[in-house]
Amino acid sequence: MLYDLTVVQFSKMLNNLNHILDKAEAFAALKKVDMAVLLNSRLAPDQFNLIRQVQIACDTAKVGVARLTGNMDTVPKHDDSETTLAELRQRIASVLKYLEGFSEADFGHADKVHVSQPRWEGKYLTGYEFAIEHAVPNIYFHITTAYAILRHNGVEVGKKDYLGAMPYKVPVL
């Protein structure tokens, strides 16, 4: 289950974010808006801009999976220096490629591992708790915020862009 909640969903949502960024690029070209304006936009003065929202979504995906599987030494390094859409796309692609390297078998004991971070001051969560209480909500928060920044700036994105393709089934009659 943790594989599906993390690798599968994180990959889907990062691909959806790429799609939303495609729409932002088209919008900028059509409206003759400098893409840097959108990339540096934020919803509130004390909130991160679009660039940082994408960076954190990527970090949540790669580090979350690495922590759950005990693979922190394999996490792709990004120096948070992206300033262009092309650089953000490259970062997303790097994380998607990294996630492709995991299988369900890698998550055999992920629900029981102890996950901690320096800011948690010695406290930890089990892998299961970390996934459902931190990693999953965190990636959704940052992708939702990226979506909202673009929507607020006039980019025509909707719920279907955010949710992406659904695995609908056709009933057999």
Side-chain angles (χ1 to χ4, degrees), residues 70-124:
N71 285 291
M72 285 300 293
D73 57 330
T74 67
V75 177
K77 305 286 188 244
H78 298 103
D79 60 7
D80 296 338
S81 63
E82 295 89 358
T83 59
T84 67
L85 183 59
E87 291 168 340
L88 288 175
R89 288 184 197 281
Q90 187 175 15
R91 183 175 184 139
I92 293 169
S94 167
V95 173
L96 287 169
K97 180 76 172 157
Y98 177 67
L99 295 177
E100 285 176 10
F102 290 90
S103 70
E104 284 187 59
D106 295 317
F107 287 78
H109 298 291
D111 59 333
K112 294 180 179 32
V113 298
H114 290 189
V115 178
S116 187
Q117 297 182 28
R119 70 173 187 251
W120 293 355
E121 301 171 348
K123 300 173 194 147
Y124 72 90

Side-chain angles (χ1 to χ4, degrees), residues 32-171:
K32 299 185 183 359
V33 172
D34 184 351
M35 192 65 200
V37 171
L38 294 177
L39 293 174
N40 289 292
S41 292
R42 60 187 78 227
L43 293 175
D46 64 344
Q47 189 177 47
F48 291 132
N49 64 16
L50 177 63
I51 290 171
R52 192 71 184 123
Q53 301 297 338
V54 173
Q55 291 169 336
I56 295 171
C58 288
D59 290 350
T60 298
K62 69 183 183 180
V63 174
V65 168
R67 283 189 170 129
L68 288 169
T69 60
N71 285 291
M72 285 300 293
D73 57 330
T74 67
V75 177
K77 305 286 188 244
H78 298 103
D79 60 7
D80 296 338
S81 63
E82 295 89 358
T83 59
T84 67
L85 183 59
E87 291 168 340
L88 288 175
R89 288 184 197 281
Q90 187 175 15
R91 183 175 184 139
I92 293 169
S94 167
V95 173
L96 287 169
K97 180 76 172 157
Y98 177 67
L99 295 177
E100 285 176 10
F102 290 90
S103 70
E104 284 187 59
D106 295 317
F107 287 78
H109 298 291
D111 59 333
K112 294 180 179 32
V113 298
H114 290 189
V115 178
S116 187
Q117 297 182 28
R119 70 173 187 251
W120 293 355
E121 301 171 348
K123 300 173 194 147
Y124 72 90
L125 297 170
T126 65
Y128 178 80
E129 292 165 335
F130 171 75
I132 66 169
E133 299 281 342
H134 181 78
V136 171
N138 199 46
I139 196 167
Y140 285 127
F141 174 85
H142 290 287
I143 291 175
T144 298
T145 304
Y147 167 95
I149 289 168
L150 292 172
R151 185 73 186 103
H152 176 75
N153 278 279
V155 177
E156 293 185 20
V157 289
K159 186 186 269 187
K160 288 183 179 182
D161 298 304
Y162 175 83
L163 292 176
M166 296 294 206
Y168 295 119
K169 313 297 185 282
V170 176

